[in-house]
C-alpha cells in the first residue's frame, strides 16, 4: 500500500536537524511521492535542492496569500520563469485567499489572479489556500472561469462544510484533507470528507503544521499522512487500501506524476527438504 502526501513544507527550520531521519520514516510508511508547497518565490532554490536530494519529492512555486507584502506586478513573469526552469515543478502555489486576518485583500486578489493565469498558461494545477474566504473564493473563481476558462487544482487542507465543498467540486477541484480531519470536533470536515467523490479526493499533512491524532500538538511529518488516510477511510466506510489506491491515483493524475511501478511480490520462503 502506498500513499502520496500532497502538501509538505520540509524546508522549514524545524526539519533542519533530522530531515534524513524524517525521510527514512516516510519511506518506511509507504509514502511514494510528496508535493512540496511554496509560500514565496524566494524559497525556490532551497526547495529545488530538496527535490534533487529526495527523488520522490516534487514541488510547486507560488506566493501565499499571507505573504502578499512580497507581491509585485511582475509576479506572473517571475513564477512562469521559475516553473519552466525546473522539470520537478508540478504545480503553482500555494495561492488563494486568507481573510482570517484580512491581510491586504486587494493584493491577495491580484496575486491570486496572476497565479491562476500562470497555471493556465503552463497547464499546471494550482494549490489553493482558503481560510475564512470560501464564498469570496468561489465567486472569484466562477468569474475567472467565465472570462478566462477553468484551471485544474486542489483545495488544500480543506476545512469547509459540505455546501462549500460542493461549490469547489462543481468548479472541478480536488479536495485534500489534512490532520484536521482527525480532530474530534471537526464535524464539518468529517461531513465533507464523506461526500467528496472518490476520484477527487487527496490526503496531505501540511507538515510541520496540524499534526493528526495521536500526534496532535507535536511537529507533523509526512509519515503521519497514514493517520489522515485512516480517518478519511473510516468516515467514508471504505478500507484503507481502497482509500490509498484512490488518493494515490488522483494525485498522480492531478500533478502529472511519473507512473508508479507495481509493488514487488513478496519473496516466497525457501523450500525446505523433507
Amino acid at each position: 500500500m502506498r500513499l502520496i502526501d500532497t502538501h509538505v513544507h520540509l524546508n522549514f527550520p524545524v526539519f533542519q536537524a533530522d530531515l534524513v531521519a524524517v525521510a527514512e520514516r516516510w519511506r518506511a510508511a509507504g509514502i511514494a511521492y510528496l508535493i512540496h508547497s511554496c509560500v514565496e518565490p524566494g524559497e525556490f532554490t532551497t526547495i529545488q535542492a530538496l527535490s534533487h536530494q529526495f527523488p520522490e519529492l516534487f514541488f510547486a512555486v507560488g506566493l501565499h496569500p499571507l505573504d502578499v507584502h512580497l507581491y509585485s506586478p511582475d509576479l506572473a513573469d517571475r513564477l512562469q520563469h521559475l516553473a519552466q526552469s525546473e522539470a520537478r515543478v508540478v504545480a503553482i502555489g500555494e495561492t488563494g485567499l486568507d481573510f482570517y486576518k484580512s491581510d491586504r485583500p486587494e493584493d491577495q486578489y491580484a496575486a491570486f489572479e496572476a497565479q491562476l493565469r500562470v497555471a493556465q498558461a503552463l497547464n499546471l494545477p494550482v494549490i489553493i489556500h482558503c481560510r475564512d474566504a470560501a464564498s469570496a473564493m468561489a465567486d472569484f473563481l466562477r468569474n475567472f472561469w467565465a472570462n478566462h476558462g477553468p484551471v485544474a487544482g486542489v483545495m488544500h487542507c480543506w476545512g469547509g462544510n459540505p455546501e462549500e465543498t460542493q461549490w469547489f467540486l462543481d468548479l472541478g477541484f480536488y479536495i485534500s484533507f489534512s490532520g484536521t480531519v482527525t480532530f474530534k470536533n471537526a464535524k464539518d470536515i468529517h461531513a465533507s470528507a464523506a461526500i467528496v467523490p472518490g476520484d477527487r479526493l487527496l490526503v496531505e499533512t501540511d507538515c510541520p503544521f496540524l499534526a493528526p491524532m495521536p500526534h496532535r500538538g507535536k511537529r507533523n511529518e509526512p509519515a503521519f499522512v497514514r493517520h489522515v488516510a485512516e480517518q478519511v477511510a473510516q468516515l467514508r466506510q471504505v478500507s484503507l487500501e481502497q482509500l490509498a489506491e484512490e488518493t494515490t491515483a488522483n494525485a498522480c493524475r492531478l500533478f502529472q506524476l511519473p507512473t508508479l511501478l507495481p509493488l514487488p511480490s513478496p519473496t516466497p520462503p525457501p523450500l525446505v527438504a523433507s
Side-chain angles (χ1 to χ4, degrees):
M1 185 188 73
R2 292 180 287 193
L3 290 162
I4 296 177
D5 186 347
T6 60
H7 200 103
V8 303
H9 297 275
L10 298 175
N11 63 318
F12 286 11
V14 69
F15 287 115
Q16 187 171 0
D18 65 339
L19 186 55
V20 171
V22 170
E24 290 174 354
R25 289 193 289 274
W26 82 56
R27 289 167 175 167
I31 310 306
Y33 292 132
L34 307 92
I35 307 298
H36 199 301
S37 193
C38 176
V39 300
E40 59 98 356
E43 293 186 317
F44 182 88
T45 302
T46 301
I47 300 173
Q48 182 182 45
L50 289 173
S51 76
H52 292 170
Q53 180 180 0
F54 303 106
E56 63 268 51
L57 183 68
F58 294 82
F59 69 106
V61 58
L63 181 65
H64 191 286
L66 294 184
D67 286 273
V68 291
H69 57 282
L70 300 173
Y71 171 73
S72 62
D74 67 342
L75 176 67
D77 290 339
R78 287 190 291 141
L79 294 181
Q80 184 158 336
H81 171 74
L82 290 171
Q84 291 179 305
S85 73
E86 171 56 67
R88 301 186 73 80
V89 172
V90 295
I92 300 299
E94 63 189 278
T95 181
L97 302 174
D98 190 319
F99 294 160
Y100 179 67
K101 297 180 180 178
S102 295
D103 187 42
R104 301 170 67 124
E106 297 83 4
D107 285 346
Q108 286 193 39
Y109 280 116
F112 186 32
E113 180 168 357
Q115 290 172 89
L116 290 172
R117 289 180 178 273
V118 173
Q120 194 171 56
L122 299 182
N123 192 32
L124 291 175
V126 286
I127 298 172
I128 293 184
H129 171 105
C130 180
R131 188 174 187 188
D132 288 2
S135 181
M137 171 73 72
D139 288 344
F140 186 86
L141 290 170
R142 292 183 192 112
N143 185 65
F144 188 93
W145 271 212
N147 289 287
H148 306 289
V151 179
V154 54
M155 306 301 295
H156 109 87
C157 192
W158 183 239
N161 62 42
E163 180 183 8
E164 293 165 340
T165 301
Q166 192 61 52
W167 296 344
F168 298 104
L169 289 170
D170 291 344
L171 285 160
F173 282 100
Y174 291 70
I175 309 293
S176 182
F177 294 95
S178 70
T180 57
V181 77
T182 70
F183 299 169
K184 181 179 179 180
N185 294 324
K187 302 303 184 185
D188 281 343
I189 301 175
H190 296 168
S192 291
I195 69 164
V196 175
D199 62 354
R200 300 276 206 88
L201 187 66
L202 298 173
V203 290
E204 63 173 88
T205 57
D206 198 13
C207 65
F209 312 109
L210 301 172
M213 300 295 293
H215 304 284
R216 188 173 183 180
K218 301 177 182 178
R219 182 190 70 176
N220 201 0
E221 61 177 75
F224 297 167
V225 79
R226 183 184 178 104
H227 299 299
V228 177
E230 288 171 343
Q231 174 70 2
V232 174
Q234 181 178 337
L235 291 166
R236 296 171 66 81
Q237 299 182 328
V238 300
S239 69
L240 176 60
E241 290 73 19
Q242 179 181 333
L243 192 285
E245 182 177 349
E246 289 176 346
T247 57
T248 296
N250 294 343
C252 287
R253 182 170 60 252
L254 176 64
F255 295 110
Q256 302 176 58
L257 300 174
T259 302
L260 287 169
L261 296 175
L263 289 169
S265 300
T267 302
L271 295 175
V272 179
S274 58

